[in-house]
Amino acid sequence: MAALALKILVAGGFGVGKTTLVGAVSEIRPLRTEELLSEAGELVDDTAGVDRKTTTTVAMDFGRITIREGLSLYLFGTPGQDRFWFLWDELSQGALGAVVLADTRRLEDCFPAVDYFEHRRIPFVVAVNCFADARRYDANEVARALDLDQGTPVVLCDARDRDSGKEVLIRLVEHAGRVHTARLLDSVSPPAGPV
């Protein structure tokens, strides 16, 4: 039996916790491409609300979770800044789905990721990283604020917590499975018409 690896992206705005989520759930030491924030970057990176952030992902993060023998999840954390978005097309090739991390203090920062996955028809869930100093909203309020397509799951999480991160990934895999199955059935169903 050949080994199967499912590719999942972890996306969202700058400083939302993508690297933290990948690191929290990965069974291996994650590959990180973080660099120190520089004075030159201050001109292009909006650090409002993430003042304590000192590094940023410049290519991707990578982690792995083994579900069972022969089945693994490969996690690819995307960079959050606009200037690195050219990497997203390569990273998204063959992805089962994506997690869009959101921070309610800067909710607008996840709009580009939501738009990206909606336009490419890549199933995704929105995971609200519940920061201690952020106002709490329930999943329905976040879904309305983001104007998500009907059925797109929104879950509340703590990106630092392994179990919380795993729950997010479970919801994504379940959602992506339903979406891909529905698409497959639509593609093989005969067109409806007069009998």
Side-chain angles (χ1 to χ4, degrees), residues 177-191:
R178 287 189 300 272
V179 169
H180 289 297
T181 299
R183 289 178 186 165
L184 180 63
L185 291 174
D186 284 347
S187 71
V188 297
S189 297

Side-chain angles (χ1 to χ4, degrees), residues 154-170:
V154 175
V155 294
L156 306 179
C157 74
D158 180 343
R160 302 166 300 178
D161 182 73
R162 182 181 191 88
D163 290 334
S164 182
K166 285 182 177 181
E167 283 301 315
V168 169
L169 296 174
I170 289 167

